[in-house]
């Protein structure tokens, strides 16, 4: 009986985490460059059950039992979001579609080779430096300029150029006076090159990125290399990348998580009533 109670309780916890993940996605629908999260649920390892000492019989197997379920990790979908034109020259958006050996990637950005090898579609990111001097990656392209000319994200992180240094605009020049070229250089309205070129990094395995908040990701596995292929990755000025959250699917998943939570809740209530009857009524009769 307690096994069933523990299974239902683990289901409650897992569905609550799933619900929290989905509501966080919905809350960030309007966040530029936000990447959708999904909670990966899995069961505990299988256990072999057996019977021993029943009517003098030898021990025999009666099957397996997986028991509880838990939210193993939170996975991020790094796929391209739609672009919206803002006509704000401080806004930048990455349009990325990096091909790998003619593979066709599914909605989660995954493809499988003929030999069974799983491949994830590489993704492109703005490269930034936080207040601690650490390198981070983001798709949030709503930039601003500080009083001392540094180009920063909306959260104050410095945007890096291809020289791996924070970008500093020429004195007295604003982004409104600069245009981004196809090779990601900033030039003046007169066509003068400022010597500034945005550093766009390619992450071959985006699952090696860990979300840190404020739209930033930390690369904990794999490497990042500067992107030089102008055909695979385009950066547009005056655009923002919308969140890649699927609103309709999130609504369906939210309702499913709620129904599963309620079902587990009823099971817990059932076991609670059964245990109460066992302890009070049966115990009193004995």
């Amino acid at each position: 009986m307690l096994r069933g109670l523990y299974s239902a309780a683990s289901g409650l916890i897992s569905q609550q985490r799933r619900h929290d993940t989905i509501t966080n996605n919905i809350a960030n629908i309007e966040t530029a460059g936000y990447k959708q999260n999904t909670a990966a649920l899995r069961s505990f390892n299988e256990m072999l059950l057996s019977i021993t000492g029943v009517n003098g019989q030898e021990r025999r197997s009666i099957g397996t039992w997986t028991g509880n379920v838990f939210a193993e990790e939170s996975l991020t979908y790094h796929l391209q979001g739609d672009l919206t034109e803002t006509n704000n020259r401080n806004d930048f958006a990455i349009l990325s579609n990096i091909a790998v050996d003619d593979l066709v990637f599914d909605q989660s950005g995954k493809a499988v080779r003929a030999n069974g090898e799983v491949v994830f579609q590489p993704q492109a990111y703005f490269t930034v430096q936080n207040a601690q001097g650490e390198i981070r990656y983001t798709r949030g392209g709503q930039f601003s300029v500080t009083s001392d000319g540094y180009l920063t994200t909306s959260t104050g992180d410095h945007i890096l150029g291809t020289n791996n240094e924070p970008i500093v605009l020429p004195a007295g020049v604003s982004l409104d006076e600069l245009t981004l070229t196809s090779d990601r250089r900033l030039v003046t309205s007169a066509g003068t090159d400022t010597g500034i070129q945005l550093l766009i990094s390619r992450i071959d395995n985006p699952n090696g990125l860990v979300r840190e908040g404020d739209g930033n990701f930390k690369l904990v596995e794999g490497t990042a290399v500067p992107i030089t292929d102008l055909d695979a990755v385009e950066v547009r000025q005056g655009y923002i990348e919308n969140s890649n959250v699927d609103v309709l699917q999130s609504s369906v998943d939210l309702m499913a998580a709620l129904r599963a939570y309620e079902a587990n809740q009823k099971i817990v209530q059932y076991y609670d009533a059964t245990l109460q009857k066992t302890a009070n009524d049966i115990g009193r009769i004995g």
Side-chain angles (χ1 to χ4, degrees):
M1 180 180 293
L2 290 180
R3 285 178 180 171
L5 183 60
Y6 292 150
S7 295
S10 70
L12 284 173
I13 296 172
S14 297
Q15 294 302 327
Q16 181 179 3
R17 291 179 179 175
R18 180 186 177 197
H19 181 275
D20 292 344
T21 299
I22 299 170
T23 53
N24 184 61
N25 288 335
I26 294 175
N28 284 281
I29 287 175
E30 300 297 329
T31 302
Y34 178 82
K35 299 303 177 184
Q36 176 176 321
N37 269 357
T38 183
L41 304 182
R42 60 160 291 181
S43 63
F44 281 31
N45 294 332
E46 288 188 348
M47 294 184 291
L48 182 63
L49 302 182
S50 60
I51 293 178
T52 58
V54 178
N55 297 328
Q57 298 180 5
E58 295 183 359
R59 174 175 178 174
R60 61 187 179 88
S61 173
I62 60 174
T64 60
W65 180 66
T66 56
N68 306 338
V69 64
F70 68 101
E72 183 178 27
E73 59 182 332
S74 182
L75 302 177
T76 303
Y77 289 163
H78 293 271
L79 298 185
Q80 177 72 46
D82 296 331
L83 301 191
T84 296
E85 186 173 9
T86 64
N87 293 316
N88 184 344
R89 301 184 71 80
N90 286 18
D91 292 338
F92 296 82
I94 293 176
L95 187 60
S96 170
N97 186 23
I98 302 175
V100 178
D101 299 334
D102 297 325
L103 292 175
V104 178
F105 297 96
D106 62 19
Q107 292 183 344
S108 65
K110 180 178 69 175
V112 181
R113 298 186 189 274
N115 61 2
E117 179 189 1
V118 177
V119 180
F120 293 92
Q121 185 173 23
Q123 298 295 330
Y125 282 85
F126 295 111
T127 311
V128 303
Q129 186 181 69
N130 62 19
Q132 290 73 40
E134 300 166 328
I135 303 299
R136 295 294 184 262
Y137 304 93
T138 184
R139 289 292 284 255
Q142 294 176 308
F143 298 160
S144 60
V145 180
T146 64
S147 58
D148 47 0
Y150 282 95
L151 186 63
T152 66
T153 66
S154 59
T155 56
D157 296 324
H158 290 154
I159 310 298
L160 297 186
T162 51
N163 60 355
N164 291 312
E165 295 292 333
I167 292 176
V168 183
L169 300 186
V173 177
S174 68
L175 278 177
D176 289 335
E177 306 171 60
L178 299 177
T179 300
L180 188 72
T181 63
S182 60
D183 60 351
R184 300 186 283 276
R185 294 183 178 275
L186 290 173
V187 300
T188 65
S189 55
T192 303
D193 191 347
T194 62
I196 297 171
Q197 186 177 23
L198 290 178
L199 174 58
I200 307 299
S201 295
R202 166 176 168 153
I203 311 295
D204 281 330
N205 182 9
N207 288 330
L209 294 169
V210 174
R211 189 187 301 271
E212 283 197 337
D214 295 330
N216 285 351
F217 291 91
K218 175 183 178 180
L219 184 61
V220 297
E221 182 179 342
T223 57
V225 296
I227 292 179
T228 57
D229 186 356
L230 302 180
D231 294 328
V233 177
E234 178 186 357
V235 182
R236 294 185 181 180
Q237 186 177 15
Y239 289 79
I240 60 169
E241 180 185 1
N242 298 325
S243 162
N244 67 355
V245 175
D246 187 330
V247 180
L248 293 179
Q249 186 61 50
S250 294
S251 300
V252 171
D253 292 343
L254 189 65
M255 186 61 65
L258 177 60
R259 293 290 179 257
Y261 186 92
E262 291 175 342
N264 282 287
Q265 187 179 41
K266 290 184 182 299
I267 293 174
V268 170
Q269 292 172 344
Y270 165 78
Y271 276 114
D272 180 64
T274 303
L275 289 172
Q276 183 179 14
K277 184 176 290 292
T278 301
N280 296 336
D281 297 349
I282 298 178
R284 184 169 61 249
I285 294 174

